Amino acid sequence: MKKTRYLLILLGLFQAANVFAQTRFVKDTLDASGDSVVVTATRTERKLSNLTVPVTIINAKTIQQNGSLRLTDILKEQTGINLTSGFGAGIQLQGLNPDYTIILINGEPLVGRTAGVLDLNRIALGNIKKIEIVKGPSSSLYGSEAMAGVINIITDATMGSPLTIGLRYGTYNTVDANLETKFQTKNFQYQGFINSYNTDGYSIRPNSNSRVRTPIERYSTTQQFKWELSSKTNFVLNTRYTNEQIQNEIAVSNNGVTIYSIGKENIKDLNASASLNHRFSNHLKTSLRTYTTTYDAVQNLLTINGLPYRDVLNHNFKRIENQTDWDLNKKIQAVFGIGAVWEGVKSSRYDSEKLRKQNDIQYAFTQWEWKASEKFTLIGGVRFDKNTQFASAYSPKLSMLYKLNPQHQFRLSIGQGFKAPDFRQLFLDFTNAAAGSYSVFGSAQAQQVIARLNALGQIGNLFPNYNLLKALKPEYSNGMHFTWDWKINPSSALSLQLFRNDIKNLIESQQVGTYISGAQIFSYLNIGRAFTTGFEVEGQHRFNANWSINGGYQYLRTGDKDQIAAIKSGTVYSKNSQGYSRLMKLNEYVGLPNTSTHKLQVKLNYNSPKGHYLNVRAIYRSRWAVNNNNGNEVFDNGDVFASGYVAINSAAGKSFKNGVSIQGGIDNITNYIDAANLPNLPGRTFYTSIKYELQRKNKIK
Amino acid sequence: MMSKIAMGLGLSIALIACTKDEETIVVPVSAITVKDLAADTVTGLGLDGRPQSAGTTTYYSLVDNKIIASSDAASTKWDIAFSSTKITVNCGTSGPGIGGAFVFKGLFDDLKTLPVDSTFATDNSNAASFAIPLGSGRAWYTYDGLTTLVSPIAGRVLVIRTATGKFAKIEIISYYKGGVTLPASASVNDKLFKQRYYTFRYAYQPNGSKTF
C-alpha cells in the first residue's frame, strides 16, 4: 500500500515536472579541488588549499553515487574511520572511541549519546550539501568532545533544484523516500526536506530460528529559512526533527526452549537553531546564534518471563553564542567567540527519571590567523570552558601551513582536546541486584550517596580513592598531526598524514569501597592514560575523462599506557595453550580493544559525460580484539578477536537530461557476515532508486 | 568422566628447569593435576534461559586427592568443594574444619613460600562472603556475557588452608570438559553442557609448613 502511494506521487510529479524540464550540465567536481570552501576547520570560510589542518570533504555527488542513505554508510568508507556497534552505530576516528568525536549539523552539536555513542543512523543524507571531517583535537573551537576530530554535516538552502524527489527500494523491504523543496525570492530562501525510512530489518544472529524482525520506521524533516534583512544582515532559522520507532520481536531458541520478548524503542530528536548575522564592513562581521535540542528515548522490553525493563533518557541542550570575525589587515585575521550552554539530562538510570541533572557551561574562544607570506600561514587559538559540575578546561591549538610550491604542501597542527565527563559518569545510580549486588554511583554524588549509606551502617570498607571523587576532571588529549600533500600531476595526488594522540585522565570505573556484605561499590575516576598513533596515506588518480581511482590506508597502533607499564613491571599474566599461567611479554600486547591495525579502502569510479556512472568500493579492516578471555584485562594474542574482513559495495546509475536519475546497487557483494561483531553489516543487499530533480529555468546567482 | 593424572616427577623437573636464579632448597611437593572434576553439571536449559542443574556440590580432599561423598559434607574429610563457579573451603558456614583461603596474584610456580603476613579468610554464607569471593573478575574467573564463557584469570593462585590446618595452592586451568576453555566460536550446546568441569593443578604440603 505504502509503496504504491509513493509511486503515484512520484509519477504525478514527473508529469508536472516535464513541463519545466530543461537541459542540464552535470559538472564534475574533483574531491581534491583546493577551491572547495571549508567552514569547520577555522569556523570561518576558508579554501581547502589554505587550511592549516587536515580536512576531508565528502560532497553530495559522492554521497549520491555511493548510494549512501545514512551518515554511517558514507563514513565507514573514509580513511581512518571505523564503525562501532553496540548502543547504535558510532564511529571511531583514528582509533578513538565514538565519545571523542563531535558531530555537528550546520555547526550545532547533536546530543543523545548512549554510553558515549551517537547513533549515526539517525542522520539521513538526502539533503546534505557536504560533510566536512576535521581530524585532530579541535576543542580550541568546539569545546568538549572534539578530541579526535569534528564531523560537520552541512545542508544548504542556496543552490539546487526547487523540487527533488527520490525513492529507493531494497532488500528487507527497505524503503527510503525523500522530498526536498527549495524556494527562493530576492530576500528569502527556503529549503524543506522530508525523509522516511522503513525497513523490516534483518537477523543475522545465531539461534534465532523464527524470523526475527526489527522493523524500523524513521521519519525526519529539516527546514531551513534564510532572510536577507539587508545587504549586510541576514537571519537563518534551521529546524530538524527525527522520529524513530523500532520494534524488536525476539525469539531465541536454545535446546528446544524458545524465549519470546518484545522490545520497543521510540526516539525523538528535535533541534532548532537561529542565527542573526551582520556584516559591519568587509573587515568585521558578527553572528549571534541560539540553539536548542532535545533528545528523547524510551525503551521498553517485555519478556515472557522476568520483569519488564524500561529505560528512559531525556537530554536537552541549549546554547547561545556570539562569534565575531575581524580582519585586522591583509595578514591578520581574528575570531572571537563567547557563549553559554545549559545542558540537562533526565534518565531512569539516575536516581529518579523525574529529576533533571544539570550542567552549565560558559566559554570563550579566540583564534588568530597570520598569513605571513604566500607560502606560510600560522593559526593559534585557545578556548576556555567553565563548568558547574566538574573542573574547567583550557584548549589551546597551534597549526601551520607551508606551501613549498604548487605541488607540495605541508601542514602541522598541535592541539589539546578534551571531553567533559558525561552525565552517566557524574550521576549514574545503579545497583545490580542479580550479580552480587554491586553498585555504581556517578562521581558527582558518590560521596553523598555513600555517606548516607554509611550513616545507615551499610558500608563495610572505603578505599583511599574514595576521597578523590569530588572533582572529576575532563579527559584530555594532546594531538599532533603532520600532513604532506603532493599534487603529482593534474590527474594524480597523494597525501601522507602522521598522527599521534596522547590521552590522559581517562575516566574509568573503579572500586571505591564495599558494602558490609562485601559487595563492591564503584564510581568513576580519572585514571587511564592511552595513546593512538599511526599514519594515513590517501591517493587519487584519474586515468582519463571517465575512469578514476582513489583510496586510503590507515596504519594504527594504540595502547593503554598503564597496562604497558604493568606488563613491563612483570605483573601481568597470560595463559599458555595448556591453560597454565605465565608472565605476559610486551610483544604480545595488541593495544586497545576494537582497534584494527590496518584499514584500507579503494574506490574505482567511472563517470561518462552522458551521465552514466559506476563505482566499486572495497573496504578492508584487519582483526580487532573484542574480548578478554584470560582475565588479565589486557588484550593479547590469546584473546578473542573479530576476524579481519573485506566488504565490497557497488553502485551504478544514470542521470538523464530531464532531471531524472536512476541507480542500482549491491552492498556487501561477497556476503560477509559476522553476527556477533558486525551487527551493522547485513548480508548482501540490493537496492534500486529513482530520483527526479525539477530543473530551474533561470539559475539565480 | 573424571581422570586424575599425577605428574609429580615430571612437574618437579619442569619446576627446577624453570628456576633460573633462585637456589633455595625446596622440599619437593608434587604438583597434581585433577582433570574434568564435575561440579553441579548442567542438565538442561530453564524457561528463564538459565542453565538448570541439580544444585549439587562436589567435595574434594586435597590430602587424599579424591572426591569425598556428600554424605561426609559435615566432616573434615574434605578440604575444598565446587558447585558451578562457587568454590568453598572447609570452614565457617561451609564445614566444621579449620580451613581458610586467600587469592594470591602471581604464578603458581613462583609461590614457593607463603608470605608471612598472609591472612586466610573464611566462609560466611550468611553475609554472602566467602574466602574465595564469588563473582566474575573477583577471585579466579571472569564471565563474558557475550561469549557466555567462564575463563580462569591468568596469574591467580588459590591458597588453601585445609580442613586440618595444612596448606595447599591451587591454579584453576579450565572450567570446561576437556581441560581447555572453549573457544568463543564453540556451539551453544557445548558451552552449556561442557561447563562446570574443573581442571586444576595443586600442590599440597603435608608437613604443615608454608613452603611448597
Side-chain angles (χ1 to χ4, degrees), chain A residues 231-234 277-286:
Chain A
S231 60
K232 291 183 170 172
T233 312
N234 71 32
N277 309 295
H278 181 71
R279 185 178 287 277
F280 293 101
S281 73
N282 283 339
H283 308 292
L284 185 66
K285 63 173 182 176
T286 189

Side-chain angles (χ1 to χ4, degrees), chain A residues 24-35:
Chain A
R24 192 173 60 129
F25 176 64
V26 185
K27 198 181 163 195
D28 189 6
T29 45
L30 245 173
D31 281 10
S33 168
D35 292 336

Side-chain angles (χ1 to χ4, degrees), chain B residues 14 34 38 67 71 84 98 107 119 142 145 158 161 169 190 200:
Chain B
V34 176
I67 295 176
S71 52
S84 73
I98 55 163
L107 295 179
T119 50
T142 55
L158 307 179
R161 190 169 61 207
K169 57 176 182 177
D190 277 0
F200 60 93

Side-chain angles (χ1 to χ4, degrees), chain A residues 524-543:
Chain A
Y524 294 94
L525 288 154
N526 294 104
I527 41 176
R529 299 179 301 147
F531 71 89
T532 74
T533 188
F535 66 85
E536 290 178 7
V537 183
E538 287 186 288
Q540 51 188 336
H541 178 69
R542 180 170 282 287
F543 300 104

Side-chain angles (χ1 to χ4, degrees), chain A residues 304-336:
Chain A
I304 194 170
N305 36 36
L307 291 170
Y309 171 79
R310 182 179 144 86
D311 186 275
V312 177
L313 174 69
N314 170 274
H315 189 166
N316 65 52
F317 179 100
K318 292 184 178 66
R319 177 162 89 172
I320 183 160
E321 183 179 87
N322 172 253
Q323 181 182 329
T324 302
D325 301 359
W326 181 28
D327 299 353
L328 281 80
N329 55 46
K330 282 197 167 152
K331 295 202 159 172
I332 297 179
Q333 297 172 322
V335 175
F336 304 92

